[in-house]
Amino acid sequence: MEFREPGWWQHGVIYQIYPLTFADSNGDGLGDLQGIIRRLDYLNDGNPNSKSSLGVDAIWLSPIYQSPMVDNGYDVSDYYDICPTFGCLDDFKQLVSEAHGRNIKIILDLVVNHTSNQHSWFIESSRSRDNPKEDWYLWLDPAPGGGEPNNWIAYFGGPGWTFNEDRQQYYYHTFNANQPDLNWRHPEVRKAVYDMMRFWLDLGVDGFRLDASSTYSKDELFRDNPIKFEATDRKDYNNQYHLYNKNLPENHYIIQEMRAVLEEYDERVLIGETFIDSRLYDSIIFHGVDNNELHLPLTFEFAFSPWYPGYIQREIEKKELMTPPEAWPAYFFDNHDLPRHLSRWIDCSLCIDSEAIAKAAATLLLTVRGTPILYYGEEIGMVNHEDIPPEMAKDKVVIGNIDGEVIPSRDGTRTPMQWDDSPQAGFSFGQDVQPYLPVNDNFKTLNVAAQSQDQDSIWHFYRQLIQVHRQNEALHRGSWRSLIHYPYEHLAYLRQTNQQTVLVLINFSEEKELTTNDPIPYDDWQVLLSNRRQTGDKLKSPQRLQGFEISILAALD
Ligand code: NOJ
């Protein structure tokens, strides 16, 4: 394949917004599009050297379409309209225009493995066995003797099949019963989805994050999934090999067709949550044989890594080896389904200082080879809210399934953005209304306003890192090579292009000698950013690392 100039999605930084809890403009306690518009300058005010703006290049919005909100928008009832909770189509057009005016791209979540059971397609399909949409979903007769047609389990727990009285048949749902899976073998379904994608692309949307994009195709014969060796509970999703309902080869053809839709437009990006429990190679192959599928498959290595340098280094090395030539990786720590990374890592790391971990993690995310994706609030070190009272719990798909035993509640990672120390952390712009989820108790001290005043804060560190990432081509497009072959308590790696070499040092422990297996290739360096050294200072190759030192150094030739 011919060499292409890197797309914006390769050198840009993406920021995920969970719209329900980012910013509430109308004082109803629920985040909305006008709230996001009012916070755009915070994300990027258009000045590349801004000291008051984070400087991200794109925002990915979790779903904002019309939805009964059983799974907070991951259950769409109308793909062509905005959920009134968030505003209306005109608000969305304003958001696109105002974001583009500040060099912020807009990425929409595209949830098309399934619809809501309240989508008109499903209502029609479920009415009878002879209507124009009768096979738009996956319908099967009961098994001989009655019961579910096969052994497929829903990811949120319970059987994957739900019986419908009108049709006297079962429909399949990868997730909750109110999220029936579309029949992707049906050409009309595919056309309906691709037309809908064009509707949003025509409105100026810069790309999509595909939800559960490895589960579209199902086995044509609906065969039973094999059960894992020695599995005792046959009804546990994790005890099956998902041979027949996930990662089917045909799934790649669908993603290729979606990519072809995007290629009708300039510079649009296709990101895929291939799936949370997929192995690295199952996700990486969604780049496509000729880079004709996803631009950025989301692989979950950091979501399941301990905060331990050797482990993290191995994960990066594996991904480096597996990513095809000309393809480009993406990295993230958190999203709306995972406990926030500081909460995951604080208990299992060599260091228990959450600020040190936050800055070191930020450095890793912004200097590894791949597009960094931030989750709202991570830039101030937000942690999970662990004490949400049961009566305030909101994650209905989890609550609805065997008392949340299947997957843990995701509420703790979705609490309101902590803007300032005013009531409800400024979530409703000064109005003291109860937000959708309770604000984390730490908001009085941990908030954007406080951290903007403190030059040493996590927020300023992220802001500077994003600028350093943008201004140094080795960091946004260079190769990655570790100088360490065996796990130590630090990372030392190079990012390189023909023009520039950058050395990244991250010490996970107290002061010590800087050990590397490969020699440091230059003698003279200049500090681009560090928590222990002055930006701009010149130095010889460091021999020692200060305690929890983070240094990003550019080679001087
Ligand atoms: C993955 C999404 O990230 C998650 O939030 C959602 O519940 C499921 N897919 C179902 O759409």
Side-chain angles (χ1 to χ4, degrees), residues 155 175 209 212-215 237 246 273-279 283 298-301 303-304 332 335 337-339 407 410:
Y155 179 70
F175 298 95
R209 173 267 189 190
S213 57
S214 57
T215 61
Y237 180 92
K246 200 192 298 179
E273 182 218 30
T274 47
F275 202 49
I276 188 165
D277 65 346
S278 286
R279 283 160 294 193
S283 296
L298 300 179
T299 58
F300 282 74
E301 61 283 312
F304 300 111
F332 64 95
N335 68 24
D337 294 328
L338 302 165
I407 61 167
R410 300 165 294 178

Short mmCIF file of all heavy atoms in Angstrom, two decimals, residues 155 175 209 212-215 237 246 273-279 283 298-301 303-304 332 335 337-339 407 410:
data_model
loop_
_atom_site.label_atom_id
_atom_site.label_comp_id
_atom_site.label_asym_id
_atom_site.label_seq_id
_atom_site.Cartn_x
_atom_site.Cartn_y
_atom_site.Cartn_z
N TYR A 155 -24.24 -10.96 27.25
CA TYR A 155 -23.06 -10.44 27.94
C TYR A 155 -23.41 -9.91 29.33
O TYR A 155 -22.64 -10.06 30.28
CB TYR A 155 -22.41 -9.33 27.10
CG TYR A 155 -21.20 -8.72 27.75
CD1 TYR A 155 -20.02 -9.45 27.88
CD2 TYR A 155 -21.24 -7.43 28.27
CE1 TYR A 155 -18.92 -8.91 28.50
CE2 TYR A 155 -20.14 -6.88 28.89
CZ TYR A 155 -18.98 -7.63 29.00
OH TYR A 155 -17.89 -7.09 29.62
N PHE A 175 -26.59 -8.29 24.23
CA PHE A 175 -26.58 -7.59 25.51
C PHE A 175 -27.91 -7.83 26.22
O PHE A 175 -28.31 -8.97 26.43
CB PHE A 175 -26.25 -6.10 25.30
CG PHE A 175 -24.87 -5.93 24.70
CD1 PHE A 175 -24.69 -5.80 23.33
CD2 PHE A 175 -23.75 -5.99 25.50
CE1 PHE A 175 -23.43 -5.69 22.78
CE2 PHE A 175 -22.47 -5.89 24.96
CZ PHE A 175 -22.32 -5.74 23.59
N ARG A 209 -17.20 5.94 16.42
CA ARG A 209 -16.68 4.87 17.27
C ARG A 209 -17.76 3.78 17.23
O ARG A 209 -18.89 4.01 17.66
CB ARG A 209 -16.45 5.39 18.68
CG ARG A 209 -16.05 4.32 19.72
CD ARG A 209 -17.27 3.80 20.44
NE ARG A 209 -16.92 2.95 21.58
CZ ARG A 209 -17.82 2.22 22.24
NH1 ARG A 209 -19.10 2.23 21.90
NH2 ARG A 209 -17.44 1.49 23.26
N ALA A 212 -19.32 -2.32 20.00
CA ALA A 212 -19.36 -3.79 19.88
C ALA A 212 -19.24 -4.25 18.43
O ALA A 212 -20.04 -5.03 17.93
CB ALA A 212 -20.65 -4.31 20.50
N SER A 213 -18.20 -3.78 17.76
CA SER A 213 -18.15 -3.95 16.30
C SER A 213 -17.65 -5.32 15.86
O SER A 213 -17.53 -5.56 14.66
CB SER A 213 -17.28 -2.86 15.69
OG SER A 213 -16.00 -2.87 16.25
N SER A 214 -17.33 -6.21 16.77
CA SER A 214 -16.93 -7.56 16.34
C SER A 214 -18.07 -8.56 16.50
O SER A 214 -17.89 -9.75 16.26
CB SER A 214 -15.71 -8.03 17.13
OG SER A 214 -16.01 -7.99 18.51
N THR A 215 -19.23 -8.05 16.91
CA THR A 215 -20.33 -8.99 17.19
C THR A 215 -21.45 -8.90 16.15
O THR A 215 -22.50 -9.53 16.33
CB THR A 215 -20.91 -8.76 18.60
OG1 THR A 215 -21.44 -7.44 18.66
CG2 THR A 215 -19.87 -8.91 19.68
N TYR A 237 -21.36 -16.42 30.74
CA TYR A 237 -20.86 -15.91 29.45
C TYR A 237 -19.37 -16.21 29.28
O TYR A 237 -18.92 -16.60 28.21
CB TYR A 237 -21.11 -14.40 29.40
CG TYR A 237 -20.66 -13.71 28.14
CD1 TYR A 237 -21.53 -13.55 27.07
CD2 TYR A 237 -19.37 -13.20 28.02
CE1 TYR A 237 -21.13 -12.91 25.90
CE2 TYR A 237 -18.96 -12.56 26.87
CZ TYR A 237 -19.84 -12.42 25.81
OH TYR A 237 -19.43 -11.79 24.66
N LYS A 246 -19.30 -14.19 17.71
CA LYS A 246 -18.39 -13.05 17.81
C LYS A 246 -17.15 -13.29 16.94
O LYS A 246 -16.75 -14.44 16.76
CB LYS A 246 -17.94 -12.90 19.27
CG LYS A 246 -17.41 -11.53 19.57
CD LYS A 246 -16.72 -11.45 20.87
CE LYS A 246 -17.60 -11.76 22.05
NZ LYS A 246 -16.87 -11.68 23.29
N GLU A 273 -14.82 -0.36 18.87
CA GLU A 273 -14.70 -1.12 20.11
C GLU A 273 -14.92 -2.57 19.70
O GLU A 273 -16.03 -3.08 19.75
CB GLU A 273 -15.79 -0.71 21.12
CG GLU A 273 -15.67 -1.44 22.42
CD GLU A 273 -17.02 -1.82 23.05
OE1 GLU A 273 -17.99 -2.05 22.30
OE2 GLU A 273 -17.09 -1.93 24.26
N THR A 274 -13.85 -3.21 19.22
CA THR A 274 -14.06 -4.55 18.68
C THR A 274 -14.71 -5.42 19.76
O THR A 274 -15.65 -6.09 19.49
CB THR A 274 -12.74 -5.13 18.18
OG1 THR A 274 -11.76 -4.90 19.17
CG2 THR A 274 -12.33 -4.47 16.89
N PHE A 275 -14.26 -5.40 20.92
CA PHE A 275 -15.04 -5.76 22.10
C PHE A 275 -14.16 -5.91 23.32
O PHE A 275 -13.02 -6.32 23.25
CB PHE A 275 -15.90 -7.00 21.90
CG PHE A 275 -17.03 -7.01 22.91
CD1 PHE A 275 -17.80 -5.88 23.08
CD2 PHE A 275 -17.28 -8.09 23.71
CE1 PHE A 275 -18.82 -5.83 24.02
CE2 PHE A 275 -18.30 -8.06 24.66
CZ PHE A 275 -19.06 -6.94 24.81
N ILE A 276 -14.78 -5.61 24.45
CA ILE A 276 -14.02 -5.52 25.71
C ILE A 276 -13.30 -6.83 26.05
O ILE A 276 -12.20 -6.81 26.57
CB ILE A 276 -14.95 -5.06 26.86
CG1 ILE A 276 -14.15 -4.77 28.12
CG2 ILE A 276 -16.07 -6.03 27.11
CD1 ILE A 276 -14.93 -3.99 29.16
N ASP A 277 -13.91 -7.99 25.73
CA ASP A 277 -13.25 -9.23 26.15
C ASP A 277 -12.47 -9.89 25.00
O ASP A 277 -12.09 -11.04 25.09
CB ASP A 277 -14.26 -10.21 26.74
CG ASP A 277 -15.28 -10.67 25.72
OD1 ASP A 277 -15.36 -10.05 24.65
OD2 ASP A 277 -15.99 -11.65 25.99
N SER A 278 -12.24 -9.13 23.93
CA SER A 278 -11.48 -9.71 22.81
C SER A 278 -9.99 -9.75 23.15
O SER A 278 -9.47 -8.86 23.80
CB SER A 278 -11.64 -8.86 21.56
OG SER A 278 -12.90 -9.05 21.01
N ARG A 279 -9.33 -10.80 22.64
CA ARG A 279 -7.89 -10.85 22.79
C ARG A 279 -7.25 -9.86 21.82
O ARG A 279 -7.87 -9.46 20.83
CB ARG A 279 -7.38 -12.26 22.54
CG ARG A 279 -7.66 -13.17 23.74
CD ARG A 279 -7.60 -14.59 23.35
NE ARG A 279 -8.68 -14.91 22.42
CZ ARG A 279 -9.04 -16.13 22.10
NH1 ARG A 279 -8.42 -17.16 22.62
NH2 ARG A 279 -10.02 -16.35 21.25
N SER A 283 -8.63 -8.13 17.98
CA SER A 283 -8.93 -6.72 17.71
C SER A 283 -8.00 -6.15 16.65
O SER A 283 -8.43 -5.42 15.77
CB SER A 283 -8.77 -5.90 18.99
OG SER A 283 -9.74 -6.32 19.93
N LEU A 298 -9.92 -0.39 19.07
CA LEU A 298 -9.66 -0.14 20.49
C LEU A 298 -9.29 -1.46 21.14
O LEU A 298 -10.12 -2.37 21.22
CB LEU A 298 -10.90 0.45 21.16
CG LEU A 298 -11.39 1.78 20.59
CD1 LEU A 298 -12.64 2.25 21.32
CD2 LEU A 298 -10.30 2.84 20.72
N THR A 299 -8.08 -1.57 21.57
CA THR A 299 -7.66 -2.78 22.27
C THR A 299 -7.49 -2.43 23.74
O THR A 299 -7.11 -1.32 24.08
CB THR A 299 -6.36 -3.35 21.68
OG1 THR A 299 -5.36 -2.35 21.78
CG2 THR A 299 -6.54 -3.75 20.23
N PHE A 300 -7.78 -3.39 24.58
CA PHE A 300 -7.99 -3.07 26.01
C PHE A 300 -6.80 -3.42 26.91
O PHE A 300 -6.99 -3.66 28.10
CB PHE A 300 -9.23 -3.82 26.50
CG PHE A 300 -10.52 -3.17 26.07
CD1 PHE A 300 -10.95 -3.27 24.75
CD2 PHE A 300 -11.29 -2.46 26.96
CE1 PHE A 300 -12.14 -2.66 24.34
CE2 PHE A 300 -12.47 -1.85 26.57
CZ PHE A 300 -12.89 -1.95 25.26
N GLU A 301 -5.57 -3.44 26.34
CA GLU A 301 -4.45 -3.92 27.16
C GLU A 301 -4.25 -3.11 28.44
O GLU A 301 -4.06 -3.67 29.51
CB GLU A 301 -3.14 -3.99 26.36
CG GLU A 301 -2.64 -2.68 25.78
CD GLU A 301 -3.39 -2.27 24.55
OE1 GLU A 301 -3.58 -3.10 23.67
OE2 GLU A 301 -3.81 -1.11 24.48
N ALA A 303 -6.42 -1.42 30.02
CA ALA A 303 -7.57 -1.54 30.91
C ALA A 303 -7.40 -2.72 31.87
O ALA A 303 -7.96 -2.74 32.95
CB ALA A 303 -8.84 -1.71 30.10
N PHE A 304 -6.60 -3.69 31.44
CA PHE A 304 -6.44 -4.89 32.27
C PHE A 304 -4.99 -5.08 32.75
O PHE A 304 -4.65 -6.13 33.27
CB PHE A 304 -6.93 -6.12 31.50
CG PHE A 304 -8.40 -6.00 31.15
CD1 PHE A 304 -8.80 -5.84 29.84
CD2 PHE A 304 -9.35 -5.98 32.15
CE1 PHE A 304 -10.15 -5.68 29.52
CE2 PHE A 304 -10.70 -5.82 31.85
CZ PHE A 304 -11.10 -5.66 30.54
N PHE A 332 -5.80 3.77 25.33
CA PHE A 332 -6.64 4.47 26.31
C PHE A 332 -6.52 3.71 27.63
O PHE A 332 -6.14 2.55 27.66
CB PHE A 332 -8.11 4.52 25.86
CG PHE A 332 -8.74 3.16 25.75
CD1 PHE A 332 -9.48 2.63 26.80
CD2 PHE A 332 -8.56 2.40 24.61
CE1 PHE A 332 -10.04 1.37 26.71
CE2 PHE A 332 -9.11 1.12 24.52
CZ PHE A 332 -9.85 0.61 25.56
N ASN A 335 -12.77 4.14 30.06
CA ASN A 335 -13.95 4.56 29.32
C ASN A 335 -15.15 4.41 30.25
O ASN A 335 -14.98 4.13 31.45
CB ASN A 335 -14.10 3.80 27.99
CG ASN A 335 -14.43 2.32 28.18
OD1 ASN A 335 -14.97 1.91 29.21
ND2 ASN A 335 -14.12 1.52 27.19
N ASP A 337 -17.20 2.17 30.68
CA ASP A 337 -17.50 0.82 31.17
C ASP A 337 -16.51 0.33 32.23
O ASP A 337 -16.72 -0.71 32.85
CB ASP A 337 -17.46 -0.19 30.00
CG ASP A 337 -18.55 0.05 28.98
OD1 ASP A 337 -19.65 0.50 29.37
OD2 ASP A 337 -18.31 -0.22 27.79
N LEU A 338 -15.40 1.05 32.38
CA LEU A 338 -14.30 0.55 33.21
C LEU A 338 -14.11 1.41 34.45
O LEU A 338 -14.28 2.63 34.37
CB LEU A 338 -12.98 0.63 32.43
CG LEU A 338 -12.91 -0.12 31.11
CD1 LEU A 338 -11.71 0.37 30.31
CD2 LEU A 338 -12.77 -1.61 31.39
N PRO A 339 -13.70 0.82 35.56
CA PRO A 339 -13.32 1.67 36.70
C PRO A 339 -12.17 2.59 36.27
O PRO A 339 -11.31 2.20 35.49
CB PRO A 339 -12.83 0.67 37.75
CG PRO A 339 -13.30 -0.67 37.30
CD PRO A 339 -13.50 -0.60 35.81
N ILE A 407 -21.80 -8.23 35.65
CA ILE A 407 -20.68 -7.29 35.56
C ILE A 407 -20.92 -6.23 36.63
O ILE A 407 -22.05 -5.93 36.96
CB ILE A 407 -20.52 -6.65 34.16
CG1 ILE A 407 -21.77 -5.84 33.79
CG2 ILE A 407 -20.19 -7.66 33.10
CD1 ILE A 407 -21.54 -4.96 32.59
N ARG A 410 -21.42 0.22 36.49
CA ARG A 410 -20.51 1.17 35.85
C ARG A 410 -20.78 2.61 36.31
O ARG A 410 -20.17 3.55 35.80
CB ARG A 410 -20.66 1.04 34.33
CG ARG A 410 -20.30 -0.37 33.85
CD ARG A 410 -20.76 -0.65 32.44
NE ARG A 410 -22.21 -0.66 32.35
CZ ARG A 410 -22.88 -0.86 31.20
NH1 ARG A 410 -22.23 -1.05 30.08
NH2 ARG A 410 -24.19 -0.85 31.18
#
